[in-house]
Amino acid sequence: MIIVNKYGGFARHHMNGSWAFTHRLTFTSILTDILTMPYNRIAVYGHRGWASSAIFNALVASGAPVKVLYRPGSEVSNVPSNVTTIEVDVDNQQQLIAALEDVDVAISLVGHEGVQRQLAFVKAIPSTNVKLFVPSDLGLRAHDEQGLRVPVNKVKYEVEKAAKDAGIPTAVVLIGATAESALSFGILGVDYPGNRIVFTGDSANQLLNICSRNYVAAAYASIFAKTPPEQLQGRAIGISEFKATGNEIASALKKKHGSEPQIITHSLEKVEKEIETCIGKGVPLSLAWWCRKSWGSGTFMRGLGDDIWEVKGFQKATLEGLLVEGGLEPYKDVPLQVRQAFDSMFQ
């Protein structure tokens, strides 16, 4: 059911009340899109994560026909009744090929632990009529030698290269940092609740690209629901809700808390050593240290690329609105051990 709200936007609400997603788009633009462009048939693999669940809901709300491919034992009880669900062992090629029948766009939204499994799609897709494969990224591209040795970056690169070598049309979505994790959880050295920030290298003056989870979800729907796959093939699509320097974030923290934030300074040399230590010992923190290095060295924005997609009519969040006015939504629940590990990065 589509409901037009008083602001001219619309929401698709499922009667079970499990979720709702509202597009901040004008009704006129919505009608124009509906009348002039057909929907893509979309398959989603990885629908339950913190970011992926919002993206999945947005794709369903867009009106595009969506099917969920899920691993044996995965929870699908909250999937809307009008969405097809198919249990599939991706290592079973015939099963995966059959699941991709009548699919135009195959979107993977797996977390870091599932990136390697995407190689199964690379093997299967040449035997299907899939027009576009979108492997999971939701970060930024590594261009430096050290960054490509960070395990998750390395595997993402290998998946993309394998798809290219197999002649599979692909597209990736690059977001930089999610607001909810980057500003409150300490991954990039910003602790909004604790009023402290780490300046790495020149991060005080360098820009960080930030997107809220809602914007990421809206962008996926905007990009993939109706855009002809041929127009997306071979693209690394960046999305940008707002940008901020470390100094601007520190200023917002001061305004919110009424006192100067605690500022910790890390040199690029220190961070590079931390990356090497983590890679050598297999510690997952190598990605967080590398992201901090990218920000502090001024290369973070390069990892987003130049092909930036704008979500028409979406009311973008701002640093002021999220930090000072309290609009920042909570991040997912994280185990205490993980929180302690990131807290150690403020030393």
Side-chain angles (χ1 to χ4, degrees):
M1 175 170 65
I2 296 178
I3 301 172
V4 181
N5 64 34
K6 64 181 180 179
Y7 300 106
F10 77 97
R12 176 181 292 268
H13 292 271
H14 289 268
M15 299 308 292
N16 61 15
S18 61
W19 61 271
F21 183 86
T22 302
H23 292 271
R24 301 176 180 90
L25 296 169
T26 66
F27 189 53
T28 300
S29 68
I30 294 165
L31 285 177
T32 300
D33 285 346
I34 290 174
L35 292 172
T36 60
M37 196 177 294
Y39 287 113
N40 293 316
R41 298 167 299 176
I42 298 172
V44 172
Y45 180 64
H47 69 287
R48 296 177 56 213
W50 174 78
S52 61
S53 59
I55 294 169
F56 166 67
N57 289 342
L59 288 168
V60 174
S62 73
V66 177
K67 70 167 70 172
V68 170
L69 310 185
Y70 68 96
R71 289 188 295 163
S74 183
E75 177 61 54
V76 291
S77 62
N78 290 330
V79 173
S81 59
N82 64 321
V83 174
T84 300
T85 58
I86 301 177
E87 181 178 289
V88 58
D89 177 359
V90 296
D91 292 325
N92 184 325
Q93 282 291 288
Q94 292 306 311
Q95 197 178 82
L96 181 55
I97 289 169
L100 291 171
E101 184 181 2
D102 299 326
V103 169
D104 299 313
V105 181
I107 299 177
S108 173
L109 298 172
V110 295
H112 292 173
E113 79 291 341
V115 174
Q116 187 80 36
R117 292 199 303 272
Q118 297 176 121
L119 289 172
F121 284 81
V122 174
K123 294 178 183 177
I125 286 175
S127 299
T128 72
N129 292 317
V130 170
K131 299 174 184 176
L132 185 71
F133 175 46
V134 186
S136 182
D137 199 302
L138 296 177
L140 66 156
R141 275 193 161 158
H143 293 282
D144 60 301
E145 182 273 336
Q146 188 180 49
L148 286 170
R149 288 190 291 109
V150 171
V152 68
N153 289 344
K154 183 174 183 290
V155 178
K156 287 180 179 179
Y157 171 80
E158 290 170 350
V159 169
E160 285 188 50
K161 184 177 186 302
K164 181 179 180 180
D165 291 346
I168 298 171
T170 62
V172 295
V173 179
L174 306 169
I175 69 172
T178 56
E180 295 83 358
S181 61
L183 299 178
S184 65
F185 186 54
I187 292 175
L188 284 167
V190 180
D191 178 10
Y192 163 55
N195 195 25
R196 56 182 179 165
I197 184 171
V198 176
F199 285 162
T200 301
D202 192 37
S203 66
N205 301 301
Q206 298 296 331
L207 287 171
L208 180 69
N209 189 76
I210 303 172
C211 298
S212 66
R213 181 173 66 159
N214 285 341
Y215 190 73
V216 173
Y220 262 79
S222 173
I223 296 167
F224 297 111
K226 285 195 166 187
T227 309
E230 295 77 12
Q231 295 181 15
L232 300 172
Q233 294 173 357
R235 293 172 64 177
I237 302 170
I239 59 174
S240 179
E241 192 166 13
F242 67 93
K243 307 177 188 71
T245 65
N247 278 332
E248 288 170 338
I249 295 172
S251 178
L253 290 174
K254 178 182 178 181
K255 196 170 181 180
K256 173 63 177 179
H257 292 280
S259 61
E260 294 285 349
Q262 178 187 1
I263 295 177
I264 302 100
T265 302
H266 289 166
S267 68
L268 289 176
E269 291 74 19
K270 168 188 168 56
V271 171
E272 287 176 348
K273 289 178 181 178
E274 294 286 359
I275 295 171
E276 292 300 329
T277 298
C278 290
I279 292 175
K281 295 182 177 181
V283 178
L285 292 177
S286 59
L287 178 63
W289 283 117
W290 175 76
C291 288
R292 291 188 185 191
K293 172 192 170 183
S294 299
W295 186 12
S297 63
T299 59
F300 194 96
M301 297 303 299
R302 180 188 172 199
L304 199 68
D306 299 320
D307 185 0
I308 306 300
W309 186 281
E310 292 293 335
V311 183
K312 292 187 298 183
F314 190 97
Q315 185 178 332
K316 290 185 175 183
T318 64
L319 182 65
E320 179 92 0
L322 294 182
L323 290 192
V324 181
E325 298 172 9
L328 185 65
E329 295 185 0
Y331 188 46
K332 63 183 178 182
D333 291 334
V334 177
L336 177 61
Q337 185 178 6
V338 177
R339 287 189 173 275
Q340 290 173 337
F342 281 108
D343 190 63
S344 70
M345 297 175 68
F346 281 85
Q347 299 175 5

